[in-house]
Amino acid sequence: MSEPSIGVAVIGAGMVGRAHANAYRQAATVFGLGRPAPRLVAVADLHEPFAADAAARYGFARAETDWRAVIDSPEVDAVSVAVANSLHREITEAALAAGKHVLCEKPLAPTVAEAQSMVEAAAAAPGQIDAVGFTFRRSPAINAIKQQVEERLGPVRHFVGNYWCDYGYDPQRPMSWRYLGGPGSGVLADIGSHLVDLAEFFCGPTTGVQGTTLTTVVGDRPKPLGVAVGHAGGVRVSDERVPVENEDVCTFTTSYGGDAVGTFSLSRIAFGHANTLRIDLFCENGTASFDLNRPAEFTIADAGPATEVNGVRTVYIGPWHPYLAKGLPMDFPTVGHGQNDFFVYQARAFLDQIAGDTTLPACPDMAHGLHNLRVLEAVVSATDKPVQL
């Protein structure tokens, strides 16, 4: 007798929505066959061509242009909410009220108040899974580094996180929802939320934030004349320009228990860096680093080798590291993987939580997403008064 299936839908067919759709399509292929398989019910997007393309491309039964059709469907047991941040609360709360399990993309909401409302809605639905998509927690290399921190390197003394992208460097790149909202809703919320979460993954809860800078380099952008997936590249634009309301660059420092500190650098105007996430951990007994441009490896230095041959060494990820055994079709040493696989592992963990299987680490819940937003709010509040020299 086959395991019962879980009807899934994705709301949002842009860049991250497609990552979720592909993840559900692949989820039944990883970590054994004794788990409930996803039934690919629907993809919803206001822009019908995106919804139809994603549904056909990833094998979902139908496309919808109204997210309410997904929420109202008795075929759907669980949804991924992968739309603009301003829409997270309305859709998530409606889905929870309709009895659905919900995996919402980060940041959980545009404001702490809205996130608090979402957490309360989740608390009022105790039989349902509520989760937030911090996908870098699923990186095999990042989890391998965490093992080394716990078993060999000792507590983190200094966490350094850089996340640099170039989707906003061109002033002619059209206006989109990513450039709207107040301070902190730009690069900090978009990609900085991931780094804040990773720092806590290694260091524990943030206890303080200091020395924030928020800088807007591109002050206005042309109004788009069409709709695009992702960061709106290639869309025709008008002569009308719209003011940018949030930051292109953000830097700040943080504090954690045990005297650990963090240093962060975020940019969406870093020419030549399409998606460069890098973390460096300076620990009590060594160091370790991860670079998303080389996702299937990490570097480490400790006192193990003899002095004459000691130094930073590269470790290639293999089936003895987290997530790799049965997590890839060819789970063999040095076989590459990437960010899309992190979404697959996340989808599998979400489905397992629904089924009551605790083999994989659980997805962070919405209360954790609320905590993340409170840290981001603290980052904005820690903006220093400039000193002119």
Side-chain angles (χ1 to χ4, degrees):
M1 186 180 213
S2 62
E3 293 285 339
S5 61
I6 298 172
V8 298
V10 177
I11 299 174
M15 181 172 61
V16 75
R18 292 177 181 226
H20 280 260
N22 173 69
Y24 286 125
R25 180 181 175 88
Q26 301 298 328
T29 71
V30 297
F31 308 128
L33 299 176
R35 293 167 154 91
R39 280 181 291 108
L40 309 181
V41 179
V43 175
D45 196 282
L46 183 63
H47 190 56
E48 192 276 336
F50 287 0
D53 181 273
R57 187 178 301 275
Y58 300 109
F60 283 72
R62 65 178 184 269
E64 302 283 0
T65 55
D66 188 341
W67 59 265
R68 295 171 186 83
V70 168
I71 300 303
D72 294 339
S73 173
E75 298 176 81
V76 175
D77 303 306
V79 298
S80 277
V81 178
V83 293
N85 302 338
S86 61
L87 302 175
H88 285 185
R89 176 186 176 184
E90 180 182 12
I91 296 173
T92 294
E93 291 184 358
L96 289 167
K100 313 301 183 187
H101 307 281
V102 181
L103 171 57
C104 182
E105 261 302 317
K106 57 88 243 153
L108 183 59
T111 67
V112 166
E114 290 187 56
Q116 180 66 56
S117 176
M118 295 165 71
V119 169
E120 292 169 0
Q128 295 150 235
I129 301 300
D130 61 282
V132 183
F134 289 108
T135 48
F136 289 109
R137 285 175 171 249
R138 303 294 167 178
S139 159
I142 287 174
N143 280 270
I145 291 174
K146 187 169 186 182
Q147 285 185 337
Q148 293 302 307
V149 169
E150 293 171 349
E151 299 172 6
R152 180 191 303 263
L153 299 180
V156 177
R157 301 305 192 204
H158 185 192
F159 175 96
V160 180
N162 301 318
Y163 204 161
W164 303 324
C165 296
D166 63 2
Y167 64 82
Y169 85 88
D170 185 353
Q172 293 304 115
R173 186 65 62 91
M175 175 58 65
S176 75
W177 63 267
R178 295 181 189 277
Y179 304 107
L180 299 175
S185 66
V187 71
L188 176 61
D190 191 20
I191 57 180
S193 53
H194 276 304
L195 274 187
V196 165
D197 181 65
L198 282 181
E200 294 194 331
F201 189 59
F202 288 102
C203 302
T206 307
T207 59
V209 182
Q210 307 84 31
T212 299
T213 61
L214 298 168
T215 303
T216 303
V217 176
V218 180
D220 54 57
R221 294 184 175 276
K223 190 173 182 179
L225 296 175
V227 182
V229 171
H231 298 297
V235 176
R236 292 191 307 112
V237 298
S238 72
D239 293 332
E240 180 183 355
R241 299 187 72 87
V242 182
V244 171
E245 298 176 354
N246 52 34
E247 72 285 349
D248 294 321
V249 177
C250 178
T251 63
F252 57 98
T253 62
T254 50
S255 305
Y256 306 90
D259 296 325
V261 297
T263 307
F264 295 80
S265 172
L266 311 168
S267 177
R268 64 187 182 192
I269 56 166
F271 186 94
H273 290 271
N275 191 37
T276 298
L277 179 150
R278 180 183 171 93
I279 60 173
D280 294 276
L281 282 70
F282 302 99
C283 304
E284 184 178 49
N285 302 311
T287 67
S289 300
F290 169 79
D291 188 333
L292 186 58
N293 289 320
R294 305 180 70 89
E297 64 186 55
F298 67 95
T299 63
I300 188 170
D302 59 27
T307 302
E308 295 83 358
V309 292
N310 202 350
V312 176
R313 56 194 185 275
T314 299
V315 179
Y316 299 108
I317 297 297
W320 43 82
H321 293 118
Y323 290 104
L324 254 290
K326 299 184 179 180
L328 292 176
M330 187 185 296
D331 52 358
F332 193 74
T334 76
V335 172
H337 60 269
Q339 193 169 348
N340 284 300
D341 297 287
F342 308 165
F343 282 92
V344 176
Y345 305 153
Q346 174 180 263
R348 182 70 268 169
F350 178 52
L351 295 168
D352 286 357
Q353 283 179 258
I354 294 170
D357 188 316
T358 59
T359 305
L360 294 175
C363 295
D365 62 12
M366 290 185 186
H368 181 81
L370 170 60
H371 166 76
N372 181 266
L373 274 175
R374 285 180 169 142
V375 176
L376 301 187
E377 183 179 66
V379 172
V380 176
S381 298
T383 303
D384 283 345
K385 182 179 180 180
V387 176
Q388 299 296 326
L389 298 177

